[in-house]
Amino acid sequence: MVRYFAGCDIGSTTGKAVIIGENGIAGQSIVPREIDPEETARVALSEAMKTIDELKSYKDIAYLVGTGYGRSEIPFAHENISEISCHAMGAYYCDTSIKTIVDIGGQDVKGIALGDDGSVKEFVMNDKCAAGTGRFFEAMSRIFRMELQEFSELSLKAKRAIPVTAQCSVFAESEVISLLARKNPPEDIAAGVQGAVAKRCFVLLKRVGITPKVTITGGCAKNRGLVKELEKVLRVEIAPLSVDPQIIGALGAAVYARKRSSVAV
Amino acid sequence: MIGATMDLQKLLDEPLNQLVEDAIEKGMLPVGYACSMVPEVLLSIGKLFPVRLRAPNVAGTEMADVYLSSVICSLSRSLLEFALEGKYSFLKGFVFTASCDHLRRLNDNLRYCEKPEFIDILDIPHKITDEAVQWTIDELRRFAQQLKSHFGVDAGNENVMEAIRRRNILNTLLRRINDLRKSQNPPFSGTQYHRLIMATQVVPPDDAINLASEFLESVTRNAEHPRFRARVMLVGGNLDDPSYTEIIESQGALVVADRYCTGSFPALEPYALEGDPYEILARRVLTITRCPRMMEGFPVRLEYIMNLYREYAVDGIIIESIKFCDTWGVETSALVSRLRERGIPVLRLEREYHQSGEGQLRTRVQAFLESMGK
């Protein structure tokens, strides 16, 4: 029987699960966060298992690693590993030449420098403030009365970005409302918002070093407008990954699960 | 029994703890101080005893923020907040050193807002030269005169030497306890140790000696040998909340050595017992605190950390500093580079005085241990 290894990334906004078998990723899922992290993990794993007939229960998984802010709340995980290590390993699994990651999740931003084997050489995290995180984009797109995807596409249409100076989510919100009220082109304001977050990432990444290849992981990696602004401020190309960037943490956890399992055996 | 290890936390929950209350009832006079450069020995003479100023579980600094700007560190703001809330009303006076601008502003505003009956600030040079030692001796003698005028305390040479001898008893005990941390499986956690070292700074000297000797006896008799993934050293400025160490250790780190202002490093070296006691104190104030405010002392401070790193078989170093602390902010940048050049894993953490962002701290420490392959 094929042995399966799983990673479960319980983030602040979503739960992600990745199951790997003999031929790489066999199942994956992204589900909205439940109040109880354990429940989020169950739902995410159940979803990811749907494409694997051999797996009837998460108990059939040979080794499970939990990660993300709710990592220690998954009682059926064999161990938990920080999301910093998991994002590094997940990106390395996709592309062994990745040296720098910017991970923008629901409530934090991280800069990670990778060693030659996918280990973490150095990392920085933002503070407890939500500026520049997924929460920040949620608030911004709400002001524009748009879905995140729409907001991202809007920013790509900008002719001249209007700088948004405030880095605090609350102040940025009132600044953007004022700019909209003054009838500035929404696409230019949206591009300004992307630029403000990109600059924040620049500051973080400068502390770990911006060594190519650079990639972006986390839910906000799907924001094309942000990726474009990041490439501009970092002056490097952001390398796309072969899998959904939102599941990189869970993927890294699954890769660790396979490694740890062989050690445990 | 209040001195038992398990009760140390009780002594730290409020500035006015049971042992301080008992001492006040016996007619003793507690004097609050902030900064390790304050010669606490001079506050341990006659009826006086020193109490390190802390603001445990401070919820916010709304009132203090009216007087202190947001670029003043949260330690100074929290201490002023507690003063404004009347939580230091049991103290008979305050003593500061002009060690940094933040504590100077605290001293200024405490005078302005609370008008304490006794408050003093000691001027300490930034260099260690013969002239600086003489300046410090003169400053300590001036301070002793103030103590005499206000409290009627005789800080003559003999009494000062007696206080030094008593302090050496505590230091000897703390050194013996520290030596146990060098073993492969230390018999107690860094959190337990942090509670002890903090408790000794907020109770009368004789009680501090009792606490340390009970702790030593207890860990010798009932060694816990906590399990750990990596041995770490904690480096930084003022860190008076053992729950910070507890969070670090919850991720599998064991804090086996420390070099922070409220920690054990001054206790590792005994006071000299020969010569003019004021010169002994002056030299100690200038050298033993190894404060980054002192100019031209970086190589010595770095070497001190390196020695602890080797002596306590440390795997990695965590350097913490309070936001807006310019003294430690500058020091940390240089330290991180120099230590990493030597191949030592270093985690740099910035924090507020009060405990916040627990989840992020856990993640950072866990990732640090993982990056060390632990």
Side-chain angles (χ1 to χ4, degrees):
Chain A
M1 186 189 159
V2 178
R3 295 179 80 211
Y4 290 99
F5 309 94
C8 202
D9 177 3
I10 305 305
S12 62
T13 315
T14 54
K16 285 81 62 178
V18 169
I19 300 171
I20 54 176
E22 284 171 344
N23 303 313
I25 298 176
Q28 66 186 69
S29 71
I30 300 173
V31 301
R33 178 184 64 91
E34 306 285 334
I35 290 171
D36 180 4
E38 183 182 339
E39 186 55 24
T40 311
R42 283 184 202 282
V43 175
L45 278 172
S46 303
E47 277 298 309
M49 286 189 315
K50 278 184 181 168
T51 51
I52 311 166
D53 294 337
E54 291 161 273
L55 287 181
K56 304 292 175 218
S57 151
Y58 55 78
K59 286 171 190 152
D60 298 331
I61 292 165
Y63 206 90
L64 171 65
V65 167
T67 188
Y69 99 96
R71 64 188 178 280
S72 54
E73 308 300 326
I74 311 172
F76 43 91
H78 293 87
E79 67 172 303
N80 74 71
I81 295 176
S82 75
E83 56 268 39
I84 294 167
S85 297
C86 288
H87 274 268
M89 186 52 74
Y92 178 79
Y93 177 85
C94 296
D95 182 346
T96 53
S97 56
I98 297 289
K99 293 289 171 226
T100 313
I101 300 172
V102 53
D103 164 37
I104 310 185
Q107 69 179 10
D108 55 27
V109 185
K110 303 178 193 85
I112 307 168
L114 272 67
D116 292 333
D117 55 355
S119 61
V120 175
K121 213 162 84 178
E122 164 92 275
F123 67 91
V124 286
M125 272 172 91
N126 69 320
D127 285 322
K128 53 187 181 274
C129 166
T133 68
R135 288 265 186 278
F136 179 79
F137 282 114
E138 277 174 18
M140 290 301 126
S141 53
R142 249 197 327 269
I143 299 170
F144 284 80
R145 305 195 176 194
M146 286 177 176
E147 292 298 316
L148 275 169
Q149 194 58 32
E150 253 182 296
F151 173 80
S152 170
E153 297 304 321
L154 174 72
S155 69
L156 291 169
K157 292 177 190 153
K159 288 196 177 70
R160 199 177 58 185
I162 298 172
V164 174
T165 49
Q167 282 287 287
C168 162
S169 297
V170 179
F171 290 140
E173 222 171 310
S174 78
E175 190 176 345
V176 168
I177 288 170
S178 303
L179 288 169
L180 282 169
R182 288 203 293 269
K183 311 279 187 228
N184 286 292
E187 61 274 19
D188 290 355
I189 305 170
V193 169
Q194 306 278 29
V197 175
K199 279 184 190 171
R200 207 178 160 86
C201 294
F202 172 84
V203 174
L204 270 184
L205 284 181
K206 270 290 175 189
R207 286 165 60 190
V208 295
I210 305 168
T211 312
K213 275 182 182 174
V214 180
T215 195
I216 177 168
T217 62
C220 293
K222 294 172 183 174
N223 179 341
R224 288 203 304 135
L226 173 63
V227 173
K228 188 182 153 199
E229 285 299 321
L230 264 177
E231 287 183 326
K232 207 189 293 177
V233 299
L234 299 179
R235 299 185 185 185
V236 290
E237 195 186 326
I238 303 286
L241 295 174
S242 51
V243 301
D244 181 342
Q246 199 170 356
I247 63 158
I248 293 297
L251 173 61
V255 174
Y256 270 118
R258 188 168 60 189
K259 282 176 186 259
R260 295 287 212 267
S261 167
S262 58
V263 172
V265 169
Chain B
M1 192 177 189
I2 197 83
T5 309
M6 59 185 290
D7 290 322
L8 289 173
Q9 185 57 45
K10 273 189 187 167
L11 298 170
L12 302 172
D13 287 341
E14 291 286 339
L16 178 55
N17 61 53
Q18 188 61 54
L19 294 181
V20 172
E21 249 182 89
D22 293 348
I24 292 171
E25 264 182 40
K26 287 178 197 155
M28 291 182 72
L29 310 170
V31 177
Y33 74 99
C35 184
S36 302
M37 288 191 140
V38 171
E40 35 171 338
V41 160
L42 289 181
L43 299 174
S44 308
I45 298 172
K47 288 187 170 183
L48 297 181
F49 69 95
V51 174
R52 185 140 200 153
L53 292 174
R54 298 170 63 246
N57 305 315
V58 63
T61 55
E62 289 80 2
M63 291 194 289
D65 292 350
V66 173
Y67 301 96
L68 296 171
S69 87
S70 54
V71 293
I72 295 290
C73 77
S74 51
L75 163 67
S76 303
R77 281 187 283 136
S78 301
L79 297 184
L80 184 60
E81 184 78 12
F82 259 38
L84 295 173
E85 286 178 13
K87 290 190 172 166
Y88 300 140
S89 56
F90 67 95
L91 294 172
K92 304 300 175 202
F94 296 92
V95 183
F96 297 95
T97 51
S99 45
C100 69
D101 283 347
H102 306 256
L103 285 180
R104 287 172 63 192
R105 296 294 82 76
L106 169 63
N107 165 69
D108 294 343
N109 284 284
L110 204 54
R111 281 171 195 265
Y112 175 71
C113 298
E114 295 292 293
K115 300 178 178 51
E117 283 184 19
F118 181 85
I119 183 163
D120 204 302
I121 183 161
L122 293 146
D123 201 1
I124 307 288
H126 286 264
K127 283 189 175 185
I128 308 168
T129 59
D130 289 344
E131 291 80 6
V133 171
Q134 189 54 53
W135 172 285
T136 312
I137 293 170
D138 293 345
E139 182 67 351
L140 294 179
R141 288 200 184 278
R142 177 201 64 76
F143 176 60
Q145 193 53 47
Q146 291 294 110
L147 292 176
K148 188 173 183 181
S149 325
H150 187 82
F151 296 109
V153 163
D154 176 12
N157 285 2
E158 208 169 297
N159 285 348
V160 176
M161 200 51 105
E162 179 51 35
I164 288 176
R165 277 192 211 100
R166 200 158 48 147
R167 175 69 212 197
N168 264 351
I169 296 173
L170 177 62
N171 283 9
T172 305
L173 285 165
L174 293 174
R175 211 168 45 251
R176 283 177 62 193
I177 293 167
N178 250 292
D179 283 344
L180 298 173
R181 301 168 94 187
K182 294 177 187 169
S183 71
Q184 232 172 0
N185 283 305
F188 52 88
S189 69
T191 309
Q192 286 172 287
Y193 183 77
H194 197 170
R195 286 195 190 110
L196 169 73
I197 202 79
M198 283 320 307
T200 61
Q201 294 170 62
V202 295
V203 299
D206 287 343
D207 289 322
I209 291 169
N210 289 341
L211 291 177
S213 71
E214 281 173 23
F215 186 94
L216 181 59
E217 197 192 317
S218 152
V219 294
T220 311
R221 210 180 41 236
N222 303 315
E224 283 186 16
H225 299 297
R227 294 176 64 185
F228 62 91
R229 290 161 65 183
R231 299 165 68 93
V232 303
M233 169 162 41
L234 205 44
V235 171
N238 187 300
L239 178 59
D240 64 24
D241 182 2
S243 73
Y244 193 80
T245 305
E246 196 168 21
I247 294 170
I248 289 172
E249 294 197 321
S250 73
Q251 299 308 300
L254 184 70
V255 178
V256 293
D258 66 84
R259 184 268 161 262
Y260 48 84
C261 298
T262 45
S264 56
F265 71 95
L268 299 181
E269 288 162 57
Y271 280 77
L273 289 170
E274 298 293 324
D276 171 8
Y278 280 89
E279 186 176 343
I280 293 171
L281 291 184
R283 289 192 181 281
R284 193 162 173 104
V285 162
L286 290 171
T287 56
I288 211 82
T289 52
R290 298 180 181 88
C291 179
R293 78 184 277 279
M294 300 300 285
M295 297 166 79
E296 299 163 8
F298 182 76
V300 175
R301 297 194 290 271
L302 177 64
E303 199 46 39
Y304 182 75
I305 291 171
M306 288 302 300
N307 286 340
L308 287 181
Y309 173 79
R310 289 185 284 259
E311 221 177 317
Y312 289 79
V314 169
D315 295 311
I317 297 177
I318 297 177
I319 307 180
E320 59 75 32
S321 61
I322 294 178
K323 275 179 196 164
F324 300 111
C325 171
D326 21 52
T327 311
W328 269 97
V330 172
E331 181 83 349
T332 301
S333 297
L335 269 181
V336 169
S337 310
R338 298 294 175 277
L339 292 170
R340 283 190 180 148
E341 278 167 14
R342 288 162 167 78
I344 299 171
V346 181
L347 174 65
R348 179 181 186 168
L349 297 171
E350 263 202 336
R351 65 184 182 92
E352 294 290 356
Y353 172 73
H354 59 275
Q355 191 60 259
S356 63
E358 188 180 323
Q360 289 211 340
L361 176 57
R362 284 184 204 279
T363 301
R364 283 177 162 106
V365 173
Q366 185 177 359
F368 177 57
L369 300 185
E370 289 162 2
S371 72
M372 287 195 284
K374 299 288 180 183

